[in-house]
Structure formats: C-alpha cells, structure tokens
Amino acid sequence: MSILRMTPEAEATGLVAEIYEDDRRSLGYVPSYTKALSLNPEAYLAAESLLKAVSKPLGTRCYELVTLAASQAIGSTHCRLAHGEKSLRIFKEEQLLAIARDFHNADLSEAEVAMMDYAVRVCTDAAAMTDADTQRLRDLGFSDREIVNITMTAAARNFISRSVLAMGVDLEVPPGMSEELKDALLGPLAPNPNGS
C-alpha cells in the first residue's frame, strides 16, 4: 500500500480533475496508479503524450502486444492488468489468455512474436542488444520508424511501470475481468525458446 497522499476524486481540480475524468470515460473508474502518477499532473500528461506519439503510428494491436510483453518482463502487475483489459477490445479472451500464458504459442504472426521478444529484451537486457536484434525486426518487415516506436514503447513502459511499482501503488483488478484472465496476466513470463 502506498503512503502517498493521493487526491480523492471528489477533491480533484484543474489538470488532476481532467486526468481523472479521462480515466472515468475510457475505463469506467480511476485506478490507483493514475491517482499516484497525477500527483505531478504535468509529468503524467508528458508521459501520456509520449505514449500517444508512439502508439498511434504503431497501431493499437502492435502497441498493446509490445506493452503486454514489456510489462510482463518488468514484473508490472498493474500494467499487465490494465493493458490486458484494454486488449480485450482487440483480442477475444481465449487468444488473450494464450498470449498472457505464452505469446510464442498464441497464434500470433512471426513478426508479432519477434516484436514481443524484442520488447522483453529491451526490458531485461538492453545493454546487451546489438544490431542483430534490430535486423531481426527489419527482416520481418518492420520499418526503421516502427522499430523506434517499438523500442520507445517498451522503454516508456519501464518508466511508467517502475514508477508505479516503486511507489507501492495498490493493485486493482479491472472491474469485470474474469478470474482466469487475471491469473494468466499475473502469471510468470514464459521462457523464450530463442534464448533472448
């Protein structure tokens, strides 16, 4: 449980009130991680701006897949649950369960699996990455700009996830999420058969 004194919804004003209202519109509630991060609303909005700048050209499907892989690699339960919920708009629950358990065996394209492996590597061993990591994505048809967006999506997830984890923000399960999906999203990262 976080010791931060977060702004209650009834007391939110200005930018904080706008941030809260945006979550109420898009999610139906205001998660604890939003309340914590919006203690600096300008930084919150700057992070949101970065995410929009990389997610829009990448496309929702790719963005959510990279985010799910990155947040699992980081151990971010908050982001896994939040983006698992958002991913239900793209995937049927059966496929999302497979992605959450082991994206290598979830009926995704070779390019999508490689993109997710790349995101895991960004989050777990970025210092050891080489041109071969980028070349793999290029060989599968990703443009240089898409590779930059994939990289920045994974790196931005580190910033947000690690901030939320470090502040001890309460973990909330999105309303209506099935127990099976919750358990799959919170499960351990499956090993990469390619060794990265």
Side-chain angles (χ1 to χ4, degrees):
M1 175 180 254
S2 180
I3 64 166
L4 298 174
R5 293 186 190 101
M6 299 176 224
T7 306
E9 291 180 53
E11 296 174 21
T13 60
L15 286 177
V16 175
E18 292 174 27
I19 290 166
Y20 284 12
E21 183 55 31
D22 186 54
D23 269 8
R24 275 193 292 276
R25 273 194 309 271
S26 63
L27 303 174
Y29 71 108
V30 182
S32 293
Y33 60 81
T34 295
K35 292 176 183 175
L37 294 172
S38 65
L39 286 169
N40 182 337
E42 295 82 9
Y44 178 95
L45 293 173
E48 285 291 305
S49 180
L50 170 63
L51 292 176
K52 286 177 185 170
V54 295
S55 66
K56 189 172 181 181
L58 196 55
T60 305
R61 182 180 172 102
C62 287
Y63 174 77
E64 292 299 341
L65 287 173
V66 170
T67 299
L68 286 170
S71 58
Q72 189 172 30
I74 298 163
S76 175
T77 50
H78 299 80
C79 292
R80 285 284 287 176
L81 290 174
H83 286 275
E85 175 68 17
K86 290 178 182 181
S87 293
L88 283 171
R89 299 171 194 161
I90 307 161
F91 301 100
K92 292 186 176 178
E93 184 164 333
E94 183 180 323
Q95 186 175 21
L96 186 55
L97 283 164
I99 292 167
R101 291 178 179 139
D102 181 2
F103 63 82
H104 300 100
N105 296 302
D107 199 27
L108 298 173
S109 71
E110 182 182 3
E112 289 172 330
V113 171
M115 174 184 71
M116 294 178 79
D117 281 334
Y118 181 94
V120 168
R121 197 139 153 85
V122 168
C123 296
T124 58
D125 201 13
M129 292 178 79
T130 67
D131 287 343
D133 296 290
T134 305
Q135 188 63 50
R136 171 89 174 115
L137 294 184
R138 187 183 280 168
D139 290 345
L140 289 167
F142 290 101
S143 69
D144 287 357
R145 181 177 174 130
E146 288 171 324
I147 294 168
V148 167
N149 288 333
I150 291 165
T151 306
M152 292 181 78
T153 295
R157 187 56 41 201
N158 273 270
F159 168 71
I160 294 165
S161 295
R162 293 182 193 283
S163 297
V164 170
L165 290 168
M167 293 185 286
V169 175
D170 292 341
L171 180 65
E172 298 162 316
V173 177
M177 180 175 280
S178 74
E179 195 68 25
E180 186 178 16
L181 181 56
K182 179 194 80 150
D183 291 345
L185 289 165
L186 296 180
L189 177 63
N192 177 354
N194 299 322
S196 59

